[in-house]
Amino acid sequence: MQNITVIGGGTMGNGIAHVFAQNGYQVTLVDVVSAVLDKALATIGKNLDRQIAKGALAEADKAAILQRIHPMTDLKEGVANADLVVEAATENISLKLKIFSDMDQLAPARAVLATNTSSISITKIAAATQRPDKVIGMHFMNPVPVMKLIEVIRGYATTDEVTNQIMGLSRRLGKEPVEVNDYPGFVANRILLPMINEAIYTLYEGVSGVQEIDTVMKLGMAHPMGPLQLADFIGLDVCLAILRVLQEGFGNPKYAPCPLLVNMVTAGKLGVKSGEGFYTYTPGSKDMMVAARFR
Ligand code: NAI
């Protein structure tokens, strides 16, 4: 596998393109919005500068890495020569089914089609193609250049051969892949989201305050960030959507989202991206304060 196509140049797509290009792969980066591609290349440039400043990358390598990334807005041209496609477009099921059915027509028969989805069934995505044996989940973590883990998710029809190929490739990127099966939330979100939901219930029931709950988990469990702050970073709308996937997928009430989370999302309090969640955020600065409602 030498030619990699990444679909979507947003938060995850630019990081995925960065990591492949840094490890010597030719990367075609496709997004429907050309301004996103400009921004993605600028972000990758800035993140490479950060690695250079830390001594993790030689200055001389930066230009070669950037030259290996070829931005494009046309899907047909973008996947024409792909050995592997990693789809990191917006988390929307009908959009992903359309992209996979189109890619199945346009990409070479040998190409493996991977998705970075955090919550959609790999088996469902695979069923939109004529090659479900070559469809797999490759769930990178944010920020991609920094985080070591890749959850490699086998759909119902994914073969051992394709799984082994993707496990090996992930290791060549300097990552630690973990093989998991395709059930709601996979492993990472199945464990993380109930923890976040329980933290929100703990607040909702008045057991303790925002900062106190986060402090218990930071200092008591050595988590780098408390669950409420982490929820703000992930986006409260994204947290709610993943809990709904768990609740529906397992039919088990233990995954029911806390009513406080539902109310906050309805009120447009989505965390960092809206400026307020459990904390309020000052744009362009690292300052944050517990939101007035919880003080
Ligand atoms: P984002 O909103 O930052 O980027 C998505 C990009 O996809 C946008 O630039 C959009 O223009 C593009 N796009 C939409 N339709 C397209 C199409 N038909 N063809 C090409 N590009 C298209 O989203 P983000 O956060 O990067 O998420 C992408 C995927 O990664 C989602 O499936 C999400 O669940 C998953 N993910 C996100 C994580 C995160 O922390 N943000 C963590 C792990 C997975």
Side-chain angles (χ1 to χ4, degrees):
M1 286 187 169
Q2 191 49 39
N3 296 322
I4 314 295
T5 299
V6 179
I7 310 287
T11 309
M12 296 303 286
N14 81 63
I16 296 168
H18 172 148
V19 167
F20 274 107
Q22 187 168 356
N23 286 281
Y25 294 90
Q26 290 296 329
V27 180
T28 302
L29 180 59
V30 181
D31 201 291
V32 280
V33 183
S34 65
V36 167
L37 293 169
D38 296 339
K39 195 172 158 215
L41 283 168
T43 303
I44 295 168
K46 256 190 280 166
N47 289 337
L48 289 170
D49 286 340
R50 198 169 300 151
Q51 288 175 296
I52 293 166
K54 276 202 246 156
L57 182 74
E59 172 85 58
D61 292 336
K62 180 182 168 186
I65 294 170
L66 287 172
Q67 269 163 18
R68 282 197 283 272
I69 305 177
H70 314 283
M72 222 164 266
T73 51
D74 183 42
L75 182 72
K76 185 173 179 189
E77 199 187 340
V79 301
N81 195 27
D83 300 312
L84 168 70
V85 182
V86 182
E87 174 276 320
T90 316
E91 186 79 339
N92 172 308
I93 184 145
S94 46
L95 174 74
K96 291 205 195 273
L97 295 181
K98 170 88 171 79
I99 292 175
F100 272 76
S101 122
D102 289 350
M103 283 197 305
D104 191 34
Q105 305 291 322
L106 300 170
R110 66 171 189 278
V112 170
L113 307 180
T115 173
N116 185 50
T117 181
S118 352
S119 64
I120 299 170
S121 156
I122 308 304
T123 305
K124 193 166 203 166
I125 291 175
T129 74
Q130 301 300 315
R131 58 177 103 181
D133 53 318
K134 290 198 177 72
V135 175
I136 193 161
M138 220 179 161
H139 187 204
F140 290 82
M141 304 290 132
N142 185 19
V144 181
V146 176
M147 299 291 277
K148 277 275 180 200
L149 178 70
I150 302 179
E151 252 189 321
V152 174
I153 306 133
R154 296 181 69 126
Y156 192 82
T158 314
T159 58
D160 289 345
E161 190 194 342
V162 166
T163 307
N164 292 337
Q165 249 181 320
I166 297 301
M167 294 290 287
L169 177 72
S170 302
R171 290 192 190 97
R172 286 193 289 283
L173 296 176
K175 303 291 188 196
E176 187 74 52
V178 173
E179 187 182 322
V180 314
N181 288 316
D182 180 31
Y183 289 98
F186 316 133
V187 170
N189 284 329
R190 180 174 180 165
I191 297 173
L192 177 64
L193 267 298
M195 183 192 74
I196 286 176
N197 199 37
E198 201 60 34
I200 301 172
Y201 264 114
T202 310
L203 176 70
Y204 171 71
E205 290 171 2
V207 178
S208 201
V210 170
Q211 235 156 2
E212 290 77 5
I213 292 166
D214 277 353
T215 301
V216 167
M217 297 306 284
K218 275 193 292 187
L219 302 187
M221 318 298 156
H223 289 193
M225 194 184 274
L228 299 173
Q229 188 188 354
L230 181 58
D232 275 358
F233 274 77
I234 292 172
L236 301 191
D237 51 339
V238 174
C239 290
L240 178 59
I242 299 175
L243 281 163
R244 297 273 192 225
V245 166
L246 294 172
Q247 187 187 19
E248 252 176 57
F250 292 112
N252 185 332
K254 79 175 177 180
Y255 298 109
C258 176
L260 172 60
L261 174 64
V262 177
N263 263 357
M264 289 174 76
V265 173
T266 308
K269 306 295 182 195
L270 306 181
V272 176
K273 65 183 154 193
S274 73
E276 185 181 327
F278 298 104
Y279 297 86
T280 49
Y281 300 85
T282 317
S285 113
K286 290 202 168 132
D287 295 345
M288 52 183 247
M289 282 170 60
V290 174
R293 166 180 293 269
F294 301 114
R295 252 181 261 142

